[in-house]
Amino acid sequence: MSAGRTGHAGRAGDAQPVLEVQDLRVELDTPRGTASIVNGLSYSVAPGETVAVVGESGSGKSVSVMALLGLLPAHARVGGRALFRGRDLLAMGEPELRQVRGDGIGMVFQDPMTSLNPVLTVGRQITEGLLAHGRVAGGRQARERAAQLLADVGLPDPRAALGRFPHELSGGMRQRVVIAIALSGDPALLIADEATTALDVTVQAQILELVDGLRAEHGTGVVWITHDLGVVAGTADRVLVLYGGRCVEDGGVDDVFERPAHPYTQGLLGALPQLHDGPGGRRSELVAIAGAPPPPTDLPPGCVFHPRCPVRGDERCALEQPPLVPVALGARPDGTAVPHRAATFHDTAPGTGGAGS
Amino acid sequence: MTGFALRRTLQSVVVLLGVSVAVFALVHLVDGDPVRLALGTRFDQATYDALRERSGLDQPLAVQYAQWISSAVTGDLGVSFRSGDPVTVLILERLPATLSLAGASILVALLIALPLGTVSALRPRSLLDGLGTVVSQVGISVPEFWMGIMLILLFAGTLGWFPASGYVPLSEDPAGWARSLVLPAVTTGLVSGSVLTRFTRSSVLEALGAEHVRTARAKGLGPRAVLNWHVLRNALLPLVTVTGVQLAYLLSGVVVVEIVFAWPGLGQLALQAVQARDYPVLQGAVLLFAFVFLLLNLVVDLLYTKLDPRISA
Ligand SMILES: Nc1ncnc2c1ncn2[C@@H]1O[C@H](COP(=O)(O)OP(=O)(O)O)[C@@H](O)[C@H]1O
Ligand code: SF4
Ligand SMILES: [Mg+2]
């Protein structure tokens, strides 16, 4: 296990969650009808805890976090609640939300090649956030702080880097800049959306280590979105498996990986030998399960996974939606208890009693 | 000067030389005997020989070209067949009127295009967007002379706010200059503005969709900061090029508008030279247009290295 996964005092477990998402729903009108992209997603993130959200491309991972910060197109319909330090993000107006963005909650996006503005200097892109949140008294102080942030994320010669443009930096260095921006408000929550997907393996490991170190040091809650299970195995405390905008399984990372209860999770893990070789040591894409996820404009009735499910125990699968229910008492890697849950009528996990059988 | 600027400048000079050869060849090969054409049907042999010799037309073409281009470099473009005035003087006489009109037109065009194009992009398919589309459609498709005449009828005729035509030099009467400029500048500005509006709209739309805009919003920036620094700042880049092309077009004389408004610009000069077969003037004017075009392109490219850090100077 990674050194970063142990350590932060008072983490996980019973602390007041920094984020509590309750029954999140997102719908978008498209030319092909209403797309139900997120369908009743609930989870919470404790301070210092890393929650991984995994699922194939198109399962609603990005949309589910963009909804939290009001970054979706204006015509998106967002329902449910998302309590950030007790205040509902989804009920906030734009000015209030703006104070949370980049301050209480930092975000890191997938592609560092495109998530920075090519025509502004790195320094400017950090200082504008600091100034917008009134975290510094003026330009001079903002530059000092920006240089400090770049030093914190391990950029060599941070002072010189302030005057650089994104294209003058490597992909890994750019992502460090994006992380520096996300961290500039000392966020209580960091959301990383496929933050290492575009990077090569060694750089990926460095970024993972960096974020994990910062999490341990500051007690930041982390939502780590990825379709790369190797990443999850090394860094997460808990895993949430998303399919068709629903959570089909969640629990402590070892429980889910060693005893996957949902046929979808089993499929994802099936083609992944030796996941536990170390944090980021092995890069394993979610290998295709036969078929493709259903389009959000046309979700099947019953279990969302039903059309692709190799188990498909009985006709209930096609008619009823299986609820997310505990399949076992589980635990995080640090030993604190957390239920292992799955949404399937037929739990075929090795070593569990099974919910529906 | 940086290596890039030097290279680009040399390139432009080479292209300009190429253009000068083409212009010279066209005038001399296509038009037959320029002196005969210039003199028309009634002339005597003595006049013909005199003009021919004075223009150096008795020399071989290559020699003529060498003479023309080497004097052109020193600012001597020869003498008009018609008036006998130096071509450079004729051009310089027209230059203030053309510069005034081109400058004012591009100003009008940008004043229309930047706000209208930006708002259309920010609210696609809104009422304003629809209005913008209609306005730019009209600007592009309505002939300039018709637009000019309509403006004259309304603002010079009915309302009497501006003079119907004519150019007042800035040095003589600044207020009169400005008033004389309004209607022709609005006419050409509407046309250029329509082109630029559509371009601004698509350019801003594209910039809006860029991922770094999401990063900027996720940072907690206000809508104004996001728009100014992460959308418009980026959309500006391609706009600079198109604006440069529009300006080059305006500077090469907008013949139709110059005629409608009796505007003594370079377009009229070139047109008269064509009609009169005054080939030294025509050659000089076309060479100047090519020069202006290349110069503006050069300026745009150099400006680009300042505006876009990805293009290293
Ligand atoms: N702006 C949008 N309009 C319509 N559909 C969208 C929009 N954004 C995302 N979607 C759809 O929502 C689904 C989930 O997208 P996303 O959250 O990006 O998936 P993931 O991040 O898991 O790959 C996809 O089917 C995608 O096509
Ligand atoms: S509920 Fe039925 S269809 Fe859905 S995952 Fe379980 S077995 Fe498969
Ligand atoms: Mg995504």
Side-chain angles (χ1 to χ4, degrees):
Chain A
M1 292 297 123
S2 132
R5 285 177 56 175
T6 53
H8 186 263
R11 67 177 303 192
D14 24 50
Q16 163 85 19
V18 54
L19 176 70
E20 198 170 351
V21 176
Q22 298 167 351
D23 197 30
L24 180 68
R25 288 170 193 277
V26 179
E27 283 187 347
L28 263 164
D29 287 324
T30 71
R32 276 192 238 116
T34 301
S36 307
I37 298 170
V38 182
N39 304 290
L41 187 61
S42 302
Y43 63 92
S44 68
V45 185
E49 185 183 34
T50 299
V51 174
V53 178
V54 302
E56 285 166 294
S57 172
S59 50
K61 305 184 296 291
S62 297
V63 168
S64 74
V65 287
M66 302 236 276
L68 302 181
L69 287 177
L71 295 175
L72 291 176
H75 64 280
R77 286 187 298 275
V78 180
R81 302 211 304 164
L83 303 177
F84 172 67
R85 296 199 278 208
R87 289 160 65 217
D88 187 1
L89 296 169
L90 304 184
M92 285 183 188
E94 178 67 18
E96 214 181 337
L97 211 46
R98 213 179 297 143
Q99 287 171 8
V100 177
R101 290 187 200 131
D103 203 52
I105 301 179
M107 237 177 141
V108 179
F109 298 100
Q110 172 164 351
D111 189 353
M113 300 298 172
T114 54
S115 57
L116 290 170
N117 189 336
V119 301
L120 299 180
T121 61
V122 162
R124 155 99 213 195
Q125 296 188 60
I126 302 175
T127 54
E128 63 181 352
L130 293 168
L131 292 163
H133 289 293
R135 293 198 147 250
V136 285
R140 235 184 105 84
Q141 206 189 335
R143 292 184 71 78
E144 291 295 316
R145 175 91 181 103
Q148 184 56 51
L149 282 161
L150 288 179
D152 290 348
V153 296
L155 230 76
D157 200 357
R159 228 156 258 288
L162 290 179
R164 296 251 154 76
F165 288 95
H167 74 275
E168 297 174 301
L169 303 174
S170 69
M173 289 302 149
R174 281 188 225 193
Q175 197 62 307
R176 283 172 197 263
V177 171
V178 177
I179 292 171
I181 293 172
L183 293 175
S184 63
D186 297 319
L189 181 70
L190 183 72
I191 299 175
D193 187 355
E194 309 257 15
T196 58
T197 306
L199 305 174
D200 68 51
V201 182
T202 21
V203 181
Q204 184 187 41
Q206 289 165 4
I207 296 289
L208 281 170
E209 204 171 306
L210 169 68
V211 171
D212 208 46
L214 294 164
R215 172 201 61 75
E217 192 181 330
H218 301 285
T220 317
V222 177
V223 175
W224 193 279
I225 294 179
T226 182
H227 63 257
D228 187 337
L229 292 181
V231 168
V232 178
T235 39
D237 296 295
R238 275 193 306 124
V239 183
L240 213 114
V241 182
L242 221 59
Y243 186 80
R246 291 196 182 106
C247 175
V248 294
E249 179 160 7
D250 70 350
V253 63
D254 298 332
D255 295 328
V256 173
F257 277 15
E258 279 155 31
R259 292 172 292 281
H262 196 281
Y264 177 63
T265 317
Q266 289 164 4
L268 293 181
L269 292 166
L272 296 173
Q274 291 150 339
L275 260 175
H276 290 267
D277 268 9
R282 210 150 281 244
R283 185 186 176 83
S284 333
E285 303 281 322
L286 294 195
V287 178
I289 302 161
T297 44
D298 192 19
L299 292 178
C303 173
V304 260
F305 189 54
H306 165 254
R308 297 169 78 189
C309 184
V311 177
R312 233 182 298 177
D314 53 50
E315 69 274 20
R316 258 206 308 172
C317 295
L319 301 172
E320 252 179 78
Q321 221 179 84
L324 187 66
V325 292
V327 291
L329 279 174
R332 295 182 178 82
D334 67 356
T336 51
V338 63
H340 178 188
R341 303 184 299 173
T344 173
F345 294 124
H346 303 274
D347 169 14
T348 51
T352 61
S357 50
Chain B
M1 223 196 288
T2 62
F4 174 78
L6 199 67
R7 260 200 326 279
R8 265 310 265 106
T9 308
L10 284 176
Q11 223 175 45
S12 303
V13 170
V14 170
V15 175
L16 191 60
L17 277 175
V19 170
S20 74
V21 172
V23 169
F24 186 85
L26 266 179
V27 169
H28 285 259
L29 300 178
V30 173
D31 241 8
D33 183 346
V35 175
R36 184 181 295 274
L37 285 163
L39 290 176
T41 43
R42 298 160 64 89
F43 60 89
D44 54 58
Q45 194 59 36
T47 319
Y48 178 83
D49 290 342
L51 186 53
R52 215 171 130 75
E53 207 187 311
R54 186 151 55 88
S55 324
L57 288 169
D58 46 353
Q59 308 278 328
L61 270 186
V63 176
Q64 287 184 43
Y65 172 75
Q67 278 169 354
W68 175 61
I69 198 68
S70 53
S71 350
V73 171
T74 67
D76 174 9
L77 290 167
V79 193
S80 162
F81 275 0
R82 276 283 122 139
S83 61
D85 294 327
V87 174
T88 313
V89 170
L90 291 176
I91 286 176
L92 285 178
E93 269 173 18
R94 305 291 183 122
L95 210 54
T98 287
L99 285 178
S100 308
L101 183 53
S105 302
I106 206 76
L107 197 70
V108 170
L110 288 174
L111 283 176
I112 296 170
L114 294 183
L116 197 57
T118 304
V119 170
S120 298
L122 291 178
R123 301 260 177 280
R125 286 181 294 280
S126 69
L127 205 66
L128 257 166
D129 183 24
L131 192 76
T133 309
V134 170
V135 167
S136 53
Q137 228 12 290
V138 167
I140 288 168
S141 46
V142 168
E144 281 176 340
F145 75 87
W146 191 81
M147 187 124 66
I149 289 167
M150 287 300 126
L151 288 176
I152 290 173
L153 287 178
L154 181 60
F155 291 101
T158 312
L159 296 171
W161 291 352
F162 305 106
S165 66
Y167 164 72
V168 180
L170 175 62
S171 50
E172 274 174 25
D173 174 8
W177 170 79
R179 275 164 46 87
S180 73
L181 203 49
V182 172
L183 293 184
V186 167
T187 307
T188 46
L190 277 176
V191 177
S192 289
S194 302
V195 176
L196 290 178
T197 299
R198 309 197 62 153
F199 201 84
T200 306
R201 181 181 186 273
S202 64
S203 192
V204 170
L205 260 183
E206 191 182 322
L208 270 174
E211 293 207 12
H212 70 254
V213 175
R214 187 179 56 183
T215 311
R217 293 184 63 211
K219 237 179 255 182
L221 299 187
R224 181 144 301 187
V226 172
L227 181 65
N228 288 342
W229 290 101
H230 295 275
V231 178
L232 295 184
R233 174 68 180 73
N234 300 63
L236 182 75
L237 291 172
L239 250 179
V240 168
T241 309
V242 181
T243 305
V245 172
Q246 284 295 321
L247 191 57
Y249 157 74
L250 291 168
L251 282 170
S252 332
V254 271
V255 181
V256 173
V257 171
E258 286 180 11
I259 289 169
V260 170
F261 289 94
W263 196 261
L266 288 170
Q268 282 216 40
L269 182 70
L271 184 68
Q272 284 159 10
V274 170
Q275 286 165 342
R277 313 284 184 182
D278 193 349
Y279 88 92
V281 174
L282 182 59
Q283 261 180 186
V286 175
L287 191 66
L288 178 75
F289 297 156
F291 175 74
V292 165
F293 191 82
L294 289 168
L295 184 68
L296 273 171
N297 265 303
L298 182 64
V299 168
V300 164
D301 279 1
L302 295 182
L303 200 61
Y304 238 88
T305 65
K306 294 274 171 283
L307 292 175
D308 190 343
R310 286 165 296 184
I311 298 169
S312 52

PDB file of all heavy atoms in Angstrom, chain A residues 38 40 45 50 52 54 59-60 69 84 129 133 186 194 197 204 225 234 298 323 328 353 355:
ATOM      1  N   VAL A  38     -27.375  11.594 -14.890  1.00  0.00           N
ATOM      2  CA  VAL A  38     -27.099  11.128 -13.530  1.00  0.00           C
ATOM      3  C   VAL A  38     -28.443  10.818 -12.882  1.00  0.00           C
ATOM      4  O   VAL A  38     -29.364  11.632 -12.942  1.00  0.00           O
ATOM      5  CB  VAL A  38     -26.325  12.186 -12.714  1.00  0.00           C
ATOM      6  CG1 VAL A  38     -26.010  11.655 -11.323  1.00  0.00           C
ATOM      7  CG2 VAL A  38     -25.041  12.583 -13.432  1.00  0.00           C
ATOM      8  N   GLY A  40     -29.822   9.698  -9.513  1.00  0.00           N
ATOM      9  CA  GLY A  40     -29.921   9.370  -8.091  1.00  0.00           C
ATOM     10  C   GLY A  40     -28.614   8.881  -7.514  1.00  0.00           C
ATOM     11  O   GLY A  40     -28.513   7.756  -7.021  1.00  0.00           O
ATOM     12  N   VAL A  45     -17.868  12.329   1.181  1.00  0.00           N
ATOM     13  CA  VAL A  45     -16.413  12.349   1.233  1.00  0.00           C
ATOM     14  C   VAL A  45     -16.010  12.966   2.563  1.00  0.00           C
ATOM     15  O   VAL A  45     -16.414  14.078   2.886  1.00  0.00           O
ATOM     16  CB  VAL A  45     -15.816  13.187   0.087  1.00  0.00           C
ATOM     17  CG1 VAL A  45     -14.295  13.096   0.092  1.00  0.00           C
ATOM     18  CG2 VAL A  45     -16.382  12.754  -1.259  1.00  0.00           C
ATOM     19  N   THR A  50     -10.016   9.750   0.187  1.00  0.00           N
ATOM     20  CA  THR A  50     -10.040   9.734  -1.267  1.00  0.00           C
ATOM     21  C   THR A  50     -11.122   8.773  -1.742  1.00  0.00           C
ATOM     22  O   THR A  50     -11.075   7.583  -1.443  1.00  0.00           O
ATOM     23  CB  THR A  50      -8.684   9.283  -1.846  1.00  0.00           C
ATOM     24  OG1 THR A  50      -7.678  10.204  -1.422  1.00  0.00           O
ATOM     25  CG2 THR A  50      -8.716   9.259  -3.364  1.00  0.00           C
ATOM     26  N   ALA A  52     -12.808   7.220  -5.006  1.00  0.00           N
ATOM     27  CA  ALA A  52     -12.624   7.058  -6.440  1.00  0.00           C
ATOM     28  C   ALA A  52     -13.971   6.815  -7.096  1.00  0.00           C
ATOM     29  O   ALA A  52     -14.782   6.052  -6.581  1.00  0.00           O
ATOM     30  CB  ALA A  52     -11.692   5.892  -6.717  1.00  0.00           C
ATOM     31  N   VAL A  54     -15.366   5.365 -10.511  1.00  0.00           N
ATOM     32  CA  VAL A  54     -14.914   4.682 -11.721  1.00  0.00           C
ATOM     33  C   VAL A  54     -16.099   4.291 -12.591  1.00  0.00           C
ATOM     34  O   VAL A  54     -17.236   4.196 -12.125  1.00  0.00           O
ATOM     35  CB  VAL A  54     -14.079   3.413 -11.404  1.00  0.00           C
ATOM     36  CG1 VAL A  54     -12.868   3.749 -10.568  1.00  0.00           C
ATOM     37  CG2 VAL A  54     -14.936   2.375 -10.698  1.00  0.00           C
ATOM     38  N   SER A  59     -20.311   7.186 -18.580  1.00  0.00           N
ATOM     39  CA  SER A  59     -21.177   6.737 -17.491  1.00  0.00           C
ATOM     40  C   SER A  59     -21.667   7.894 -16.626  1.00  0.00           C
ATOM     41  O   SER A  59     -22.438   7.676 -15.698  1.00  0.00           O
ATOM     42  CB  SER A  59     -20.454   5.692 -16.638  1.00  0.00           C
ATOM     43  OG  SER A  59     -19.180   6.137 -16.266  1.00  0.00           O
ATOM     44  N   GLY A  60     -21.232   9.114 -16.910  1.00  0.00           N
ATOM     45  CA  GLY A  60     -21.748  10.272 -16.179  1.00  0.00           C
ATOM     46  C   GLY A  60     -20.816  10.785 -15.111  1.00  0.00           C
ATOM     47  O   GLY A  60     -21.220  11.608 -14.278  1.00  0.00           O
ATOM     48  N   LEU A  69     -20.643  22.081  -9.142  1.00  0.00           N
ATOM     49  CA  LEU A  69     -20.129  23.446  -9.167  1.00  0.00           C
ATOM     50  C   LEU A  69     -20.859  24.344 -10.162  1.00  0.00           C
ATOM     51  O   LEU A  69     -20.413  25.449 -10.458  1.00  0.00           O
ATOM     52  CB  LEU A  69     -18.630  23.426  -9.491  1.00  0.00           C
ATOM     53  CG  LEU A  69     -17.757  22.929  -8.340  1.00  0.00           C
ATOM     54  CD1 LEU A  69     -16.303  22.871  -8.745  1.00  0.00           C
ATOM     55  CD2 LEU A  69     -17.925  23.846  -7.138  1.00  0.00           C
ATOM     56  N   PHE A  84     -21.921  20.876   0.876  1.00  0.00           N
ATOM     57  CA  PHE A  84     -20.495  21.113   1.023  1.00  0.00           C
ATOM     58  C   PHE A  84     -20.289  21.852   2.336  1.00  0.00           C
ATOM     59  O   PHE A  84     -20.775  22.968   2.499  1.00  0.00           O
ATOM     60  CB  PHE A  84     -19.968  21.943  -0.149  1.00  0.00           C
ATOM     61  CG  PHE A  84     -18.542  22.384   0.026  1.00  0.00           C
ATOM     62  CD1 PHE A  84     -17.502  21.456   0.020  1.00  0.00           C
ATOM     63  CD2 PHE A  84     -18.242  23.723   0.213  1.00  0.00           C
ATOM     64  CE1 PHE A  84     -16.193  21.867   0.191  1.00  0.00           C
ATOM     65  CE2 PHE A  84     -16.930  24.136   0.381  1.00  0.00           C
ATOM     66  CZ  PHE A  84     -15.906  23.212   0.376  1.00  0.00           C
ATOM     67  N   GLY A 129      -7.002  33.783  -9.958  1.00  0.00           N
ATOM     68  CA  GLY A 129      -7.887  33.115  -9.012  1.00  0.00           C
ATOM     69  C   GLY A 129      -7.678  33.652  -7.598  1.00  0.00           C
ATOM     70  O   GLY A 129      -8.635  33.919  -6.869  1.00  0.00           O
ATOM     71  N   HIS A 133     -10.588  35.766  -5.396  1.00  0.00           N
ATOM     72  CA  HIS A 133     -11.105  35.347  -4.099  1.00  0.00           C
ATOM     73  C   HIS A 133     -10.595  36.227  -2.966  1.00  0.00           C
ATOM     74  O   HIS A 133     -10.809  35.914  -1.790  1.00  0.00           O
ATOM     75  CB  HIS A 133     -10.737  33.884  -3.840  1.00  0.00           C
ATOM     76  CG  HIS A 133     -11.496  32.932  -4.711  1.00  0.00           C
ATOM     77  ND1 HIS A 133     -12.850  32.750  -4.595  1.00  0.00           N
ATOM     78  CD2 HIS A 133     -11.112  32.132  -5.730  1.00  0.00           C
ATOM     79  CE1 HIS A 133     -13.254  31.872  -5.498  1.00  0.00           C
ATOM     80  NE2 HIS A 133     -12.217  31.488  -6.203  1.00  0.00           N
ATOM     81  N   ASP A 186      -6.611  26.705  -0.859  1.00  0.00           N
ATOM     82  CA  ASP A 186      -6.591  25.753   0.258  1.00  0.00           C
ATOM     83  C   ASP A 186      -7.919  25.024   0.346  1.00  0.00           C
ATOM     84  O   ASP A 186      -8.633  25.114   1.353  1.00  0.00           O
ATOM     85  CB  ASP A 186      -6.336  26.461   1.600  1.00  0.00           C
ATOM     86  CG  ASP A 186      -4.979  27.126   1.624  1.00  0.00           C
ATOM     87  OD1 ASP A 186      -4.019  26.513   1.116  1.00  0.00           O
ATOM     88  OD2 ASP A 186      -4.891  28.267   2.121  1.00  0.00           O
ATOM     89  N   GLU A 194     -10.256  12.601 -14.186  1.00  0.00           N
ATOM     90  CA  GLU A 194      -9.314  11.944 -15.101  1.00  0.00           C
ATOM     91  C   GLU A 194      -7.994  12.717 -15.158  1.00  0.00           C
ATOM     92  O   GLU A 194      -7.423  12.916 -16.230  1.00  0.00           O
ATOM     93  CB  GLU A 194      -9.899  11.861 -16.521  1.00  0.00           C
ATOM     94  CG  GLU A 194     -11.298  11.281 -16.565  1.00  0.00           C
ATOM     95  CD  GLU A 194     -11.346   9.837 -17.032  1.00  0.00           C
ATOM     96  OE1 GLU A 194     -10.285   9.196 -17.059  1.00  0.00           O
ATOM     97  OE2 GLU A 194     -12.449   9.361 -17.330  1.00  0.00           O
ATOM     98  N   THR A 197      -5.154  10.775 -16.842  1.00  0.00           N
ATOM     99  CA  THR A 197      -5.436   9.957 -18.021  1.00  0.00           C
ATOM    100  C   THR A 197      -4.570  10.336 -19.219  1.00  0.00           C
ATOM    101  O   THR A 197      -4.143   9.482 -19.984  1.00  0.00           O
ATOM    102  CB  THR A 197      -6.920  10.088 -18.394  1.00  0.00           C
ATOM    103  OG1 THR A 197      -7.688   9.759 -17.243  1.00  0.00           O
ATOM    104  CG2 THR A 197      -7.289   9.155 -19.519  1.00  0.00           C
ATOM    105  N   GLN A 204       2.233  10.012 -14.400  1.00  0.00           N
ATOM    106  CA  GLN A 204       0.983   9.689 -13.718  1.00  0.00           C
ATOM    107  C   GLN A 204       1.253   9.326 -12.255  1.00  0.00           C
ATOM    108  O   GLN A 204       0.598   9.827 -11.344  1.00  0.00           O
ATOM    109  CB  GLN A 204       0.364   8.508 -14.448  1.00  0.00           C
ATOM    110  CG  GLN A 204      -0.980   8.099 -13.938  1.00  0.00           C
ATOM    111  CD  GLN A 204      -1.418   6.820 -14.619  1.00  0.00           C
ATOM    112  OE1 GLN A 204      -0.624   5.906 -14.818  1.00  0.00           O
ATOM    113  NE2 GLN A 204      -2.671   6.761 -14.967  1.00  0.00           N
ATOM    114  N   ILE A 225     -11.797  10.888 -10.083  1.00  0.00           N
ATOM    115  CA  ILE A 225     -12.544  10.257 -11.162  1.00  0.00           C
ATOM    116  C   ILE A 225     -11.581   9.617 -12.137  1.00  0.00           C
ATOM    117  O   ILE A 225     -10.608  10.242 -12.549  1.00  0.00           O
ATOM    118  CB  ILE A 225     -13.369  11.318 -11.907  1.00  0.00           C
ATOM    119  CG1 ILE A 225     -14.436  11.856 -10.971  1.00  0.00           C
ATOM    120  CG2 ILE A 225     -13.986  10.747 -13.162  1.00  0.00           C
ATOM    121  CD1 ILE A 225     -15.290  12.911 -11.602  1.00  0.00           C
ATOM    122  N   GLY A 234      -4.305   2.006  -6.017  1.00  0.00           N
ATOM    123  CA  GLY A 234      -3.197   2.541  -5.251  1.00  0.00           C
ATOM    124  C   GLY A 234      -3.551   3.669  -4.306  1.00  0.00           C
ATOM    125  O   GLY A 234      -2.898   3.855  -3.285  1.00  0.00           O
ATOM    126  N   ASP A 298     -31.819   6.864 -23.617  1.00  0.00           N
ATOM    127  CA  ASP A 298     -32.577   5.646 -23.834  1.00  0.00           C
ATOM    128  C   ASP A 298     -32.140   4.576 -22.831  1.00  0.00           C
ATOM    129  O   ASP A 298     -31.639   3.524 -23.206  1.00  0.00           O
ATOM    130  CB  ASP A 298     -32.328   5.180 -25.286  1.00  0.00           C
ATOM    131  CG  ASP A 298     -33.308   4.093 -25.695  1.00  0.00           C
ATOM    132  OD1 ASP A 298     -34.354   3.964 -25.024  1.00  0.00           O
ATOM    133  OD2 ASP A 298     -33.013   3.369 -26.670  1.00  0.00           O
ATOM    134  N   PRO A 323     -32.086  -2.119  -5.873  1.00  0.00           N
ATOM    135  CA  PRO A 323     -31.610  -1.050  -4.991  1.00  0.00           C
ATOM    136  C   PRO A 323     -30.162  -1.299  -4.574  1.00  0.00           C
ATOM    137  O   PRO A 323     -29.677  -2.432  -4.633  1.00  0.00           O
ATOM    138  CB  PRO A 323     -32.543  -1.159  -3.782  1.00  0.00           C
ATOM    139  CG  PRO A 323     -32.946  -2.594  -3.759  1.00  0.00           C
ATOM    140  CD  PRO A 323     -32.962  -3.070  -5.183  1.00  0.00           C
ATOM    141  N   ALA A 328     -22.040  -6.694   2.477  1.00  0.00           N
ATOM    142  CA  ALA A 328     -21.105  -7.152   3.503  1.00  0.00           C
ATOM    143  C   ALA A 328     -20.722  -5.970   4.371  1.00  0.00           C
ATOM    144  O   ALA A 328     -20.854  -4.820   3.957  1.00  0.00           O
ATOM    145  CB  ALA A 328     -19.852  -7.744   2.870  1.00  0.00           C
ATOM    146  N   GLY A 353     -22.132 -13.458   1.293  1.00  0.00           N
ATOM    147  CA  GLY A 353     -23.374 -14.203   1.352  1.00  0.00           C
ATOM    148  C   GLY A 353     -24.233 -13.943   0.131  1.00  0.00           C
ATOM    149  O   GLY A 353     -24.945 -14.813  -0.345  1.00  0.00           O
ATOM    150  N   ALA A 355     -26.657 -10.737  -1.799  1.00  0.00           N
ATOM    151  CA  ALA A 355     -27.838  -9.991  -1.400  1.00  0.00           C
ATOM    152  C   ALA A 355     -29.099 -10.630  -1.943  1.00  0.00           C
ATOM    153  O   ALA A 355     -30.107 -10.702  -1.262  1.00  0.00           O
ATOM    154  CB  ALA A 355     -27.746  -8.554  -1.906  1.00  0.00           C
TER     155      ALA A 355
END
